[in-house]
Amino acid sequence: MGDSYSSGEGNPRNVEAWLREGGSLTPYWDDEACRRSARGGPALAAQELEDADSHSAVTLVDVACSGATIVNGILGPQAGSGVGTGQIELVRQIVGARPVDIVLLGIGGNDDGFTTVLETCALNTDCPLARPPAGPLARYPTLQQGVQASTAALPAGYARIAACLGGAGCSRADGSPMDALAMAPDAMVVPTMYPDITRSESGAPCTYLTISASEFEWTHSTILNPAPPNPYPFPTTSGAVVPLSTAAGSLNGQIQATSATLGWHPADGAW
């Protein structure tokens, strides 16, 4: 379950042929609406488990969908992708009361405004201090404040998901009750931390079009770093250094914290 990092949007079904043969790429996915690919990370992990032991079988139920958030995707419908049922409820419809052994969960990036961060930084200099032009973070005076507010809300969202993974009090996004997934006695929930897309192969901060190295470094240090410095000293184009509060932690930090708060087993290799 999860968003585009779980669905495999960036690794479409035909990408290997394109890399091998060259030419233009017209990507296609196994599920076009959700841009879900059999080359997605969870699908590849399930295939590795299957191949590792000839005496066992792995059944993968993949409902990840690009653009998903906790509320609009995991717990409730994702209207933007034409998906009328939340992912937890969809899995329940598929597996019924059969116990689940492993839940691979990649969610939180869109809750933190991934697209809004990119848009704001593409349109503004010193983007952490700029007001987001659109999206759910637009109600905040600055991008930094919006990201921090969204980050602060993640633990409650993860707790709602946990209630639906063998817990009690499982509810849809609108608050109506629904059946939780049955979990095996030794089941594991594995939330995946988000990879660092802000640095080049040399380890230096990236630059891209109008997004500066300092803005990529801000993203790296305050959103992806599991232990962000507080305050974070952001260097502006005018030469000033503005201390930015990271009291709510970071996206990857909140995912990492589910080990202590929910007993989950975060996968941090990507970071």
Side-chain angles (χ1 to χ4, degrees):
M1 295 186 286
D3 55 28
S4 59
Y5 277 101
S6 296
S7 72
E9 177 175 358
N11 200 14
R13 192 63 180 267
N14 58 333
V15 71
E16 289 185 349
W18 172 68
L19 291 172
R20 184 175 60 250
E21 300 169 8
S24 60
L25 173 65
T26 303
Y28 71 86
W29 295 269
D30 297 272
D31 183 291
E32 288 289 332
C34 283
R35 298 192 172 182
R36 187 163 56 242
S37 168
R39 305 296 300 168
L44 293 176
Q47 187 63 57
E48 284 196 23
L49 284 174
E50 173 72 24
D51 294 342
D53 187 351
S54 61
H55 300 290
S56 65
V58 175
T59 300
L60 171 68
V61 178
D62 190 353
V63 295
C65 194
S66 180
T69 66
I70 293 173
V71 170
N72 299 310
I74 302 297
L75 298 174
Q78 191 176 336
S81 297
V83 181
T85 303
Q87 292 178 30
I88 288 175
E89 191 168 10
L90 186 56
V91 171
R92 175 74 186 191
Q93 291 174 3
I94 295 170
V95 305
R98 286 175 290 181
V100 176
D101 296 303
I102 300 176
V103 173
L104 297 178
L105 179 67
I107 201 70
N110 292 316
D111 296 81
D112 244 15
F114 178 77
T115 301
T116 301
V117 169
L118 288 177
E119 184 180 5
T120 306
C121 289
L123 296 176
N124 298 273
T125 57
D126 300 334
C127 65
L129 307 177
R131 190 181 195 103
L137 303 186
R139 66 181 183 273
Y140 296 98
T142 69
L143 180 61
Q144 171 71 13
Q145 289 174 293
V147 170
Q148 279 288 290
S150 299
T151 301
L154 287 174
Y158 292 143
R160 287 193 66 185
I161 294 174
C164 294
L165 303 179
C170 176
S171 62
R172 299 179 181 87
D174 63 6
S176 60
M178 64 176 174
D179 291 331
L181 296 179
M183 304 294 285
D186 56 350
M188 295 176 59
V189 179
V190 183
T192 54
M193 294 167 69
Y194 286 81
D196 187 2
I197 60 172
T198 68
R199 293 179 180 255
S200 66
E201 290 181 351
S202 68
C206 296
T207 59
Y208 182 71
L209 298 178
T210 59
I211 306 177
S212 68
S214 64
E215 290 166 334
F216 271 111
E217 180 61 32
W218 163 76
T219 305
H220 167 89
S221 297
T222 67
I223 298 177
L224 297 175
N225 184 355
N230 185 31
Y232 174 74
F234 178 74
T236 68
T237 52
S238 68
V241 176
V242 178
L244 301 177
S245 172
T246 59
S250 68
L251 168 62
N252 276 341
Q254 295 290 13
I255 294 171
Q256 190 177 68
T258 61
S259 172
T261 59
L262 300 173
W264 291 357
H265 302 267
D268 57 7
W271 162 251

